[in-house]
Amino acid sequence: MRARCLLVIAAVVALTLGTAQTALADNNATGSVGAVQTGPVGVTPTADVSQAGATAAASVPVAVGGSGNNTATNSVGAVQAGGGNTSNNSTGSAQVSSVSASPSAFAGASGSSASASVPLTIGGDGSNTASSSTGAAQIGGGNSSGGSTGVLQSGSPQATPAVGASIVGEAVSASAPVGVAGSGNSAADSVGAAQVGGGNTVTRSFLATQSGAVTAGTTAGAGGTTTSAPVTVGGGGGTNSATDSIGTAQVGGGNTATGSTGTVQSGPVGATPSVASGPTATAASTPAASASTPASAAGAPSSPGTRTSEGAPRPNRNTFGATKTPTGGPQTLGQLPFTGLGLLLFVLLGLTFVATGLTTRARTRLSV
C-alpha cells in the first residue's frame, strides 16, 4: 500500500513538472533584480443578475498574447507579460505583448433594453526590446528603446465603443471607432518620447510625441436616420522621424524634424460627414476637401430635398432666327425673331402693299 502511494505521488509530481516545463522555459532572468515574468494570460470575469422582470449582465474578457521568450538580463525591476519581450541592462522597464479586451454590459426591463461594449486591441509585429534604458514602457510589439529615459511605446491600438437601446419599440445606436495604424517604434538616446502606432523614429531628442495615421468616426442612428462623420489624419504611408530635436509633435506619417525646436507636423486631414434617411435612402455626403453639388438633368424635375445648381450658362439649342415650337401644345405660326410679333399680320400687310402698288401703276399707264 505504501509503495502504491509513493508511486501515485511521483506520478503527480512528474505530470506537474512536465506541464509547467513550457511556461518555465519561456521566461529567462539572468543577473537581474526584481524581475516579474509571465506568459500569455487570458481571463473572462462575468456577472449577471435577474430579479422582478429585470435582467443585467456584464463581461470583461482580457487576453495578453505574444510568442517567444521573455528575457531579462542584468536589469532591475523588469516586468514582462505575454511573450517576445527582452530587457538588457535596463531599469524599471515594463513590457507587454499584444492585448485585447472586450468589456460589455446589458440591461433590460419592461420591454426596454440597453447595451454597451468597448472592444479594444493593441497589437504590433515583432518583439519589445529595451536596452540600457530607464523607465521604458512598451505594449503591443515591435517597439525598441536603446539608451533612452522615460519612453512610452505602443503598437497599433484599435477601439470600437458602441451603445444601443430599444425603448418603446424605437431603436437607437451609436458607435465611435478609432484606431492608429502602423507597426514598429524606435527610440535611441532620447528623453521623454511617446510613440503610438508604428513607423515612428526618434534619435537624440527631448520630448517627442509621434503617432501613425489616425482614423476616427462617429456613427449614430435613430428612427430610420443614420449619421456618420469619419475623420482621417495621414494614411499616405511614410514614417515620422525626429533627430536632435526638442519638443516635436508628429501625426500621420511622412514627417521629418532635424535639429528643430517646438515643431508640430501633421499628415493630410480628411473628413466625409454623411446623412442617410429611410431604409432605401442614399447617403448624402459632403467631403471636407471638396464639396460639390451636381445639377439635375435638363428637363427632369428635381426630387424633394435635391439641390440643383443655378446661374450656370445654358447652351442655345435653337438656330439664330429659327422658329421655336413649344412642346406638348398645339402647333402655331412662327414669330419674327427678337420681336414676338406674328408672321400672319406682316404677310397680309405685304400683300396689301403689293396690290396697291400694282393698281397705282396700271392707272398711271392708262392716264398716259
Side-chain angles (χ1 to χ4, degrees):
M1 178 64 66
R2 185 176 181 180
R4 292 182 179 179
C5 292
L6 293 176
L7 183 60
V8 171
I9 293 174
V12 171
V13 172
L15 289 175
T16 303
L17 293 177
T19 304
Q21 185 65 32
T22 303
L24 293 175
D26 287 341
N27 302 309
N28 299 311
T30 303
S32 299
V33 178
V36 179
Q37 300 171 314
T38 180
V41 178
V43 294
T44 309
T46 59
D48 61 86
V49 62
S50 178
Q51 186 175 6
T55 60
S59 175
V60 189
V62 178
V64 178
S67 60
N69 299 333
N70 293 318
T71 302
T73 304
N74 300 325
S75 298
V76 177
V79 178
Q80 300 172 324
N85 302 303
T86 301
S87 175
N88 295 320
N89 302 312
S90 298
T91 301
S93 61
Q95 300 171 314
V96 181
S97 300
S98 60
V99 178
S100 63
S102 300
S104 61
F106 171 83
S110 302
S112 300
S113 63
S115 63
S117 63
V118 188
L120 170 66
T121 60
I122 301 177
D125 298 329
S127 61
N128 296 314
T129 301
S131 177
S132 303
S133 299
T134 301
Q138 301 171 322
I139 184 171
N143 302 304
S144 175
S145 174
S148 300
T149 301
V151 175
L152 172 62
Q153 298 173 314
S154 171
S156 173
Q158 305 287 333
T160 311
V163 295
S166 177
I167 304 174
V168 196
E170 292 292 334
V172 296
S173 62
S175 64
V178 61
V180 181
S183 178
N185 299 305
S186 175
D189 302 323
S190 299
V191 177
Q195 300 171 316
V196 180
N200 303 305
T201 301
V202 58
T203 305
R204 298 184 302 275
S205 297
F206 178 73
L207 295 180
T209 301
Q210 300 172 315
S211 171
V214 180
T215 58
T218 301
T219 303
T225 301
T226 303
T227 62
S228 63
V231 178
T232 60
V233 180
T239 63
N240 295 314
S241 176
T243 304
D244 300 322
S245 299
I246 299 175
T248 303
Q250 300 171 322
V251 181
N255 304 303
T256 301
T258 303
S260 303
T261 301
T263 303
V264 178
Q265 299 172 315
S266 172
V269 180
T272 311
S274 63
V275 179
S277 178
T280 59
T282 301
S285 60
T286 306
S290 61
S292 60
T293 305
S296 60
S302 299
S303 59
T306 303
R307 295 182 179 178
T308 58
S309 61
E310 297 180 359
R314 298 175 180 271
N316 187 4
R317 299 179 181 275
N318 298 321
T319 307
F320 180 78
T323 300
K324 181 180 179 180
T325 303
T327 59
Q331 299 291 332
T332 60
L333 291 177
Q335 297 176 344
L336 289 176
F338 312 111
T339 64
L341 299 178
L343 288 176
L344 179 60
L345 175 62
F346 288 90
V347 170
L348 295 177
L349 186 59
L351 292 177
T352 301
F353 285 154
V354 171
T356 303
L358 293 176
T359 302
T360 302
R361 183 177 181 181
R363 289 179 180 179
T364 302
R365 289 180 178 180
L366 291 176
S367 61
V368 174

